[in-house]
Amino acid sequence: MIEEHIKQIIQKLGADKVLLGAGVKERYEHIWEMDKPLRAKAVVFPLTTQDVSDILTICHEYHQPIAVHGGLTNLTGSTETNADELVICMEKMNVIEEFDLSSRTITLQSGVILEAIHQEVEKENLLFPMSFGAQGSAQIGGVIATNAGGLRVFRYGMTRNLVLGLEVVLADGTIISSMKKIIKDNSGYDLKQLFIGSEGTLGVITKAVLRLHQKPKSRNSAFVAMNDFENVVAFLKFIDEGLAGTLSGYELLWERNYKAMTDPSTNISKPLSYGYKYYVLIESLGSDYEKDQQRLESLLEEALTSELILDAALAQSMQHIELFWRIREDVDILVSQCNNVQNFDISLPVSEIGTYVDTVFKTLNETSEVDNFFAHGHVADGNIHFLISKDNNTIELTDKINTIIYKPLTALGGSVSAEHGIGTHKKPYLKLCRSKEEIQLMQLLKTTMDSRGILNRNKVLNYEN
């Protein structure tokens, strides 16, 4: 029997926008778990902001909790659902509404895929610099809701640095629209920042105005190798200064990652030989390919002569560059080598990374239930990712590994989440990087803006009835 509020949603939006019964079970809550049927009362597919408003108005009246689904690439449980929830799926809100070349902005609905944005702006020789492995599936609404980071944060910043305007629907159906294209606006509180990184707990993002950049005319990349973490940090300073502001990526792989990604079974050739502790992939975006490549080559030679680095390989073509970056980005290769994979996304001061990871590796090696592990990251901004393979998915083992990764971060001034958010998986560990007073203020914001706790209930914070 269909509940009254579901009937009202069908009447408002039409039966073709509401999925019930067996159709719900044909969907899933994460792209890595497509074999697990979705648990939910219904799945609703809005086409407009007004549709979302109508859905939330009804859900608010009936105290119906909802979960928001985008590209389903989140790694912290933010898209997990239960049988009592209603899912709002944003995939049909996928229209690019305006492309303003003068202001270098793009206005679009929240269901637009990140890769589609890249393809669209490239036609006009522009760049939306947000880039990460799941860009072929991730929707811009989810990217904004989690304040995603990615491979070029060092130069362009996190997602919040690229958002100029937002349209959001609050829990009671109120539409908050501030779709401005301006960079400077000090007229009171910057309300859009409340929703960027809030993981759908304060409102449902329906539209955005994104800031674009002029597309660089050249792209160069190189792999370098070294054995001392002090040199990883020193080389970052050296190469950033030498490239005079054009350094856009500085990605670190530990040797076990590099070996796994370039194993003969992957059909990816290794640019450098094995035997080094650290492999760093750098990227520069400039204006003259030949001159930029010559400058990078000269800097690499200088670093080799001074033994700041021990080996280097400079990409000689776009094909080489794509090969280099596949070694960093094709995380599915690592996932395929893991059982019951447990993911981590942490941040800490750059100077502490070497010792911290060494300690974590030692502890994981001594943990009998762990059979493999990998680490890589955006070291220039202090962000490290771990993938850990383990015997089982028991709560006890999961908590044990969480403690290994998270517990040292408090003393180091780190964070349990650099760019993936909190969701449900990291919620018990939020207190390790946020004070009691900060969490209380977050709870106050949540209660004030969503008094009935219907938006992504029990994500990030516990629902207080």
Side-chain angles (χ1 to χ4, degrees):
M1 184 174 180
I2 301 176
E3 297 179 50
E4 178 59 30
H5 60 290
I6 305 294
K7 289 181 181 178
Q8 291 185 24
I9 292 173
I10 292 173
Q11 289 171 358
K12 273 283 185 182
L13 275 69
D16 59 321
K17 296 179 187 174
V18 182
L19 196 62
L20 299 169
V24 173
K25 295 180 181 179
E26 293 177 359
R27 298 186 66 86
Y28 45 88
E29 63 185 25
H30 196 281
I31 59 170
W32 285 359
E33 298 181 339
M34 296 169 66
D35 58 327
K36 295 182 179 179
L38 179 66
R39 297 175 301 159
K41 285 184 178 180
V43 182
V44 187
F45 302 88
L47 292 178
T48 66
T49 298
Q50 187 58 52
D51 284 350
V52 177
S53 176
D54 289 339
I55 296 165
L56 288 180
T57 299
I58 295 168
C59 288
H60 184 262
E61 180 184 352
Y62 285 85
H63 297 250
Q64 172 62 57
I66 64 102
V68 184
H69 279 190
L72 303 177
T73 62
N74 179 268
L75 296 174
T76 62
S78 288
T79 55
E80 291 178 356
T81 63
N82 61 58
D84 294 327
E85 291 179 309
L86 180 143
V87 171
I88 299 179
C89 179
M90 306 302 290
E91 66 185 40
K92 295 186 184 299
M93 291 188 65
N94 57 5
V95 177
I96 296 175
E97 297 188 344
E98 184 188 44
F99 198 170
D100 189 332
L101 297 179
S102 298
S103 64
R104 289 194 294 186
T105 61
I106 187 168
T107 301
L108 67 181
Q109 293 181 327
S110 62
V112 176
I113 300 295
L114 179 55
E115 193 168 65
I117 301 173
H118 292 164
Q119 293 169 353
E120 187 67 22
V121 303
E122 190 173 348
K123 296 175 185 176
E124 299 294 340
N125 207 33
L126 291 171
L127 172 74
F128 183 64
M130 183 57 55
S131 176
F132 47 79
Q135 61 193 30
S137 303
Q139 295 175 14
I140 193 62
V143 171
I144 296 170
T146 56
N147 187 31
L151 302 169
R152 292 171 175 159
V153 169
F154 178 69
R155 179 165 176 178
Y156 295 100
M158 300 281 282
T159 298
R160 69 172 68 253
N161 301 101
L162 302 169
V163 177
L164 296 179
L166 278 185
E167 186 167 87
V168 181
V169 183
L170 302 185
D172 64 357
T174 301
I175 298 172
I176 303 295
S177 186
S178 182
M179 298 290 284
K180 295 181 179 179
K181 302 176 184 178
I182 54 179
I183 296 173
K184 292 184 174 181
D185 184 3
N186 275 347
S187 55
Y189 302 149
D190 190 357
L191 295 177
K192 69 177 179 291
Q193 298 298 341
L194 283 174
F195 305 101
I196 301 172
S198 69
E199 301 180 52
T201 61
L202 300 180
V204 179
I205 296 168
T206 55
K207 294 183 184 180
V209 180
L210 305 179
R211 181 183 183 185
L212 306 176
H213 292 262
Q214 205 62 40
K215 183 182 177 182
K217 294 181 179 179
S218 76
R219 182 188 184 197
N220 285 282
S221 283
F223 253 112
V224 301
M226 53 203 86
N227 285 326
D228 298 316
F229 189 78
E230 291 79 5
N231 285 353
V232 174
V233 178
F235 183 67
L236 170 59
K237 183 179 185 301
F238 169 82
I239 201 71
D240 189 25
E241 181 179 355
L243 290 175
T246 63
L247 181 66
S248 55
Y250 194 87
E251 299 291 309
L252 175 62
L253 290 80
W254 276 256
E255 184 183 19
R256 61 190 307 128
N257 269 61
Y258 184 74
K259 281 185 173 180
M261 295 298 294
T262 58
D263 182 89
S265 63
T266 67
N267 294 317
I268 302 177
S269 302
K270 60 180 186 292
L272 299 174
S273 62
Y274 300 144
Y276 301 105
K277 186 173 182 179
Y278 305 109
Y279 294 81
V280 173
L281 174 59
I282 62 176
E283 177 191 66
S284 68
L285 298 175
S287 59
D288 186 307
Y289 176 77
E290 290 187 3
K291 288 182 179 179
D292 294 338
Q293 188 182 51
Q294 288 171 4
R295 179 194 295 176
L296 179 54
E297 186 173 16
S298 177
L299 290 168
L300 294 176
E301 289 174 355
E302 184 179 343
L304 283 166
T305 300
S306 65
E307 297 185 348
L308 185 58
I309 60 177
L310 300 177
D311 202 356
L314 178 63
Q316 299 297 325
S317 66
M318 185 54 66
Q319 184 179 3
H320 279 164
I321 291 174
E322 291 173 355
L323 172 69
F324 282 14
W325 281 91
R326 189 181 171 199
I327 294 172
R328 168 59 185 87
E329 292 185 88
D330 198 350
V331 181
D332 285 346
I333 292 175
L334 300 181
V335 173
S336 69
Q337 299 180 40
C338 293
N339 300 305
N340 305 303
V341 64
Q342 196 167 337
N343 293 276
F344 293 90
D345 153 51
I346 60 97
S347 63
L348 68 163
V350 173
S351 60
E352 304 286 353
I353 290 174
T355 301
Y356 166 81
V357 174
D358 284 347
T359 302
V360 168
F361 277 9
K362 181 177 184 296
T363 307
L364 291 174
N365 266 322
E366 295 169 352
T367 304
S368 60
E369 303 97 329
V370 172
D371 54 61
N372 206 354
F373 50 87
F374 303 103
H376 57 264
H378 324 297
V379 70
D381 52 55
N383 178 193
I384 301 300
H385 299 275
F386 291 95
L387 284 86
I388 298 174
S389 177
K390 56 189 182 178
D391 288 351
N392 59 72
N393 267 330
T394 61
I395 294 175
E396 292 76 16
L397 180 56
T398 298
D399 290 345
K400 181 178 181 179
I401 295 173
N402 282 341
T403 300
I404 292 171
I405 302 296
Y406 294 144
K407 190 174 181 180
L409 295 174
T410 302
L412 297 173
S415 171
V416 299
S417 180
E419 57 184 5
H420 289 169
I422 296 298
T424 57
H425 300 171
K426 297 185 181 183
K427 188 170 59 173
Y429 304 94
L430 183 60
K431 61 186 177 183
L432 296 179
C433 57
R434 293 292 190 181
S435 69
K436 179 178 69 175
E437 292 76 15
E438 287 178 304
I439 294 174
Q440 287 174 343
L441 183 55
M442 292 180 195
Q443 195 73 60
L444 177 60
L445 281 169
K446 171 65 173 172
T447 303
T448 302
M449 298 179 68
D450 180 14
S451 60
R452 296 180 177 177
I454 68 169
L455 295 177
N456 277 5
R457 180 176 289 180
N458 288 321
K459 308 294 192 335
V460 184
L461 300 166
N462 288 323
Y463 171 57
E464 295 185 358
N465 201 344

